Each structure stands twice: as C-alpha cells, then as structure tokens.
Amino acid sequence: MENKIYVFDTTLRDGEQVPGCQLNTIEKIELARSLEMLNVDIIECGFPASSPGDFNSVVEISKNVTEPVICALTRAVESDIDAAKEALHYARRKRIHTGIGTSDYHIKYKFNSTREEILERAAKAVGYARRFTDDVEFYAEDAGRTDNDFLAKVIETAIAAGATTVNIPDTTGYCTPWEYGEKISYLVNNVPNIHKAIISTHCHNDLGMATANTISGIMNGARQVEVTVNGIGERAGNTSLEEVAMTLKCRKDLPYYTEIKHKNIYKTSRLVSTLMRMPVQPNKAIVGRNAFAHSSGIHQDGVLKNKESYEIIDPMDVGINDSLIALSARSGRAALKHHYERLGINLTPDELNEAYRKFLMLADRKKDINDADLRVIVGVNRNEATRRIRLKFLQVMCGKNSVPMATVKLNIDGEICQATSSGNGPVDAAFTAVKKLINRKIVVEEFLVQAITRGCDDVGKVHIQVENRGNTYYGFSANTDIVTASVEAFIDAISKFI
Ligand code: KIV
Ligand code: ZN
C-alpha cells in the first residue's frame, strides 16, 4: 500500500463554520492560495448549496487556485450536487464530496428513515455526482458512532456506485484512538471493494483526541486526512493540519509522509488566525506562541548546548526563525546573550554583566521579559544614531466626524522628505505617509500597543512586526504619545532592511 498521505484541507469549509470566523470571498482566495503554497492535495472550499456567498467563493477559488483538487460539499440531494457541479465549473481538478448520516441517531432522529433507505440514497447521490466528475468522495456522517457492520455495507455501496474516496467522520469527536483505528481496520478487512477507494479520516476534537485518532486511522489503512489549519472548526474543532504533518515528519519510525511544505506552516497558521480573528492558544502544539519556548534555566542551558536536548522539532522546520527561549528570573547569562545576539546586539563581556544585573532586577518585577525590555536594558535608542531613517516631525489630526490625516517628515540618509496622508485612524494615516516616503512593499503583520502602568499619562510601548520580501522584521518604541511610539516602532522595523 502506498505510504503517501493525502492532505485534504477543510479550513474553508468545516473550519469556516465557526461562528464569527466567516470570511469574504477575497479573504477566502487569499487563504486558498496560501494553502496551495503549503502544498495541500485537496482544498474543500465550501458548500455551494448553502448560500450564494459560499457558491461564489467556490467559483472564485476554482478560477484562482490551480494546483490542488478543488472540492465542494453537498448533502445526498440532487439539487446540492447540481450547485456543486456549477460552482466547480472552472476548477482544473474537481471533486464532489457528498454523503449522508449513517449512525442510528442520524437515521432515526435526523432523517426518520431506515438503513435500507440510507443505502439507497447514498448510492443514488454518488451515482449522480459521478455524472459530473470522476472524483467523488462519499462521507458517512457520524461514522464514529455507526455500527461497524452497517458502516461496511454503506461504504461498499458507495464504492460500488463510484466513490473514489470514502470518508469516515468521527463527527462528534467521540471515538478513542484505539476504537477509531479498529473501525478503519474493520473496513479494510470487511469491505470487498475497498481497494478501489482511498479511505479518509475526518476527526473532531471534542475529547481532545482528533490528532491521535487521525494518526491511528493512518496506521490502520487510511491514506487521506481531513484537517484544518490551527485545528479550527465547530465546537472543539477538527484535526489540526500542522500536528498531523509534523507528527509524520518528526516520527521517522512511522513509514508515512505528506507533501506539505513544512516551512510554510507557521505563516499559514498566522494568516488563518488573523483572517478568522481567532487567536491561537499559546500552548497550541507546533504553532502556539510557547510551542518552542523554554523557560526553566536547566532547559535553556540544555537547548543552547544542543537543541535536541529538549526540542523534538526544529522551529525553523515550520518557518519559525528561532526557538523562543523565554526569559525570566530563572534564566542564565547564556540565555540573555543568546537573545541579544538574536536581536543583532553584540555585547562585550562587561556590557553583558551590566545587562544581566539590570535584567535580573527587571525580571524580579516582571514575569516575561520581551525584546522591547531587552532593548530598554541596553538603551532603547542604542542603534538610533546609526539608523538611516529618523523621524523628524509628526503631526496628526483626528477625532469624531473628521478624516484622520498625518504629516510625516523623515530624515533619510541626511535628506529631509515629507508626506501627508489620510487613513482609517491616526496610526494608519501616519504609516501610509511613511510608506509613501519609503516606497517599498511593507506589510504590517502585527501591531501591539501596551501601557506600562495604568494611568492615562503612561508610557505606551509599541511592538510591531512587518514583512518585506518574505522576511519578518520587528520594531519597538516607547513614548507617552502612542501615535509617535507607533511611527517610531514602524521606522525601527523598516530600518532593519533599509
Ligand atoms: O464532521 C462531519 O461529519 C463532516 C461531514 C459533513 C464531512 O464535516
Ligand atoms: Zn466535520
């Protein structure tokens, strides 16, 4: 049996069903392109019969994304399949994903039907979909709670009707890994025509076992996994793409592989989080902020001597540029030095001693020490004098019922230049004016304003992350005027690549 595992991404369909995570068509195309760069094999991009918006997104993604197979979901209903066929018209390679509930819960309460009728409807839907494409996937909804004997009959019927992939969803996230693996194995051994189709996993995470169930499915014969980026999806979500892809990459003893371009994982995770306004939990495996952060002195020392002491994955493999050695009062000098080097600040031994003394004082008062704090310790404006770009003047106009405007004067290599711009707020207006003067493609990826204490006369700290030509640069500044701090931080980041 082939050991390639096909990655079927359903971020744009099952993932997008999360309340509040709906995307417009432009955002969906952006995400679909990013999934294409990640090299997923199949993108399920919507349920065309469900709304004109979904229909349109499938049409537009079909036009704009060419490498992966484009898939549309339907119920076992002819009009749904007609809508999918139409929406997929422009797709270079298309798949219709049709199916029906097979557990007794679904048969009795959802359909008020019988097993015989379900078999008939499954066969009819698959046969109808096959009129439009040779690539038809059948799902047995709630397969996780479907009795294996009946499930085997449904799957046999769907394959006989022309299904080329058979999806075994644990719709309610009820199965244990052992049970789910057994289910797949049962189908491999009891469905006579199973060799004519690929078995797919589709696990939900209600009991936190979606990834484990998916891996167990693979080990028992499944060769396609249905996943979402960051594991987003209804309720507790779906199996996370990055967890499965990295498990298969990292566990060399498992003889399976995906063709995912791992280095694009982190970037795609950030995009999904931003577009769907869904923060990633800090301790989320692979892509969480703390996934590679070592905080105890013993771990830090071990990692600095040899990463593999405490890291099973090199963060660079998923596109994170460095392991985040978290700094706290328990960190040693080696960790501090490492961080300064990471920021491009090389300290002499005396400077390091002095910085370490200040660092310990600060760490006593503050739990997490970040890059901005490190810069403050050695002097915020340490490299300002050597910067090619400096802010000379900034004036903003904003307020209720007025168009925010900003005028910015920069000193670039000794030459003074000025620009004025409007924006959706004073910071946006000022950034746009700066961009006019810099004339490079700069994308603000992250922008964070923090107050150091709680008063309104407080110093605001601004952290910013910008992207230029595929690289990420960080900037920081602090000022009692947060618009000035924002522009200074923006210029700080830009100065790293100018
Ligand atoms: O969870 C599920 O059963 C599904 C099917 C519609 C494939 O998402
Ligand atoms: Zn699902």
Side-chain angles (χ1 to χ4, degrees), residues 13-14 17 73 97 139-142 167 169-171 202 204 226 238:
R13 201 278 297 169
D14 225 351
Q17 283 175 212
L73 184 80
H97 189 191
Y139 65 84
E141 194 177 4
D142 205 13
N167 177 12
D170 182 20
T171 306
H202 180 112
H204 280 264
E226 304 199 0
N238 289 56

Side-chain angles (χ1 to χ4, degrees), residues 161-411:
T164 43
T165 303
V166 285
N167 177 12
I168 314 300
D170 182 20
T171 306
T172 57
Y174 177 75
C175 290
T176 59
W178 177 82
E179 205 179 353
Y180 190 75
E182 280 279 287
K183 198 172 273 293
I184 302 296
S185 169
Y186 187 89
L187 297 176
V188 170
N189 295 318
N190 292 279
V191 174
N193 53 3
I194 197 73
H195 59 282
K196 294 189 178 159
I198 288 180
I199 302 179
S200 181
T201 65
H202 180 112
C203 300
H204 280 264
N205 204 30
D206 298 66
L207 294 172
M209 291 190 277
T211 297
N213 284 347
T214 299
I215 300 294
S216 175
I218 293 171
M219 291 169 84
N220 283 282
R223 288 294 174 270
Q224 177 181 287
V225 290
E226 304 199 0
V227 291
T228 61
V229 175
N230 298 341
I232 64 163
E234 279 198 87
R235 308 184 309 278
N238 289 56
T239 305
S240 118
L241 181 153
E242 59 278 7
E243 290 174 15
V244 175
M246 291 315 289
T247 301
L248 299 186
K249 175 168 165 57
C250 168
R251 290 297 305 247
K252 303 273 187 276
D253 51 334
L254 297 178
Y256 316 105
Y257 67 95
T258 69
E259 283 180 1
I260 287 295
K261 297 211 162 108
H262 303 95
K263 286 201 193 294
N264 289 344
I265 284 181
Y266 188 65
K267 208 164 52 180
T268 316
S269 158
R270 300 293 318 175
L271 182 69
V272 168
S273 170
T274 308
L275 290 180
M276 297 202 161
R277 293 150 200 96
M278 183 107 168
V280 175
Q281 75 191 57
N283 58 328
K284 165 81 182 62
I286 318 293
V287 291
R289 180 163 27 92
N290 293 345
F292 300 100
H294 306 277
S295 71
S296 86
I298 296 174
H299 283 209
Q300 290 184 344
D301 188 50
V303 167
L304 287 170
K305 285 181 178 141
N306 179 351
K307 283 187 173 208
E308 283 170 31
S309 321
Y310 289 99
E311 271 181 13
I312 57 164
I313 300 167
D314 184 338
M316 301 234 243
D317 281 350
V318 294
I320 298 175
N321 284 338
D322 205 348
S323 126
L324 303 169
I325 300 210
L327 287 171
S328 70
R330 287 169 292 159
S331 302
R333 241 171 264 251
L336 188 66
K337 182 163 176 272
H338 165 80
H339 272 278
Y340 277 120
E341 281 168 1
R342 184 176 60 76
L343 294 173
I345 300 173
N346 292 309
L347 301 177
T348 63
D350 283 351
E351 282 173 333
L352 180 64
N353 282 342
E354 180 56 12
Y356 189 60
R357 191 185 62 76
K358 289 186 184 162
F359 160 76
L360 286 182
M361 274 163 49
L362 184 62
D364 263 353
R365 283 182 279 126
K366 199 166 179 283
K367 238 176 42 223
D368 286 314
I369 307 287
N370 54 36
D371 289 355
D373 298 315
L374 293 182
R375 288 202 179 90
V376 172
I377 286 173
V378 293
V380 154
N381 298 327
R382 188 184 158 89
N383 59 2
E384 207 188 17
T386 57
R387 267 200 212 149
R388 292 182 55 196
I389 311 168
R390 275 183 268 165
L391 179 65
K392 296 301 286 177
F393 172 83
L394 168 68
Q395 188 171 54
V396 291
M397 195 187 78
C398 60
K400 198 168 169 175
N401 299 331
S402 76
V403 178
M405 298 289 295
T407 298
V408 170
K409 225 185 252 183
L410 299 183
N411 176 333

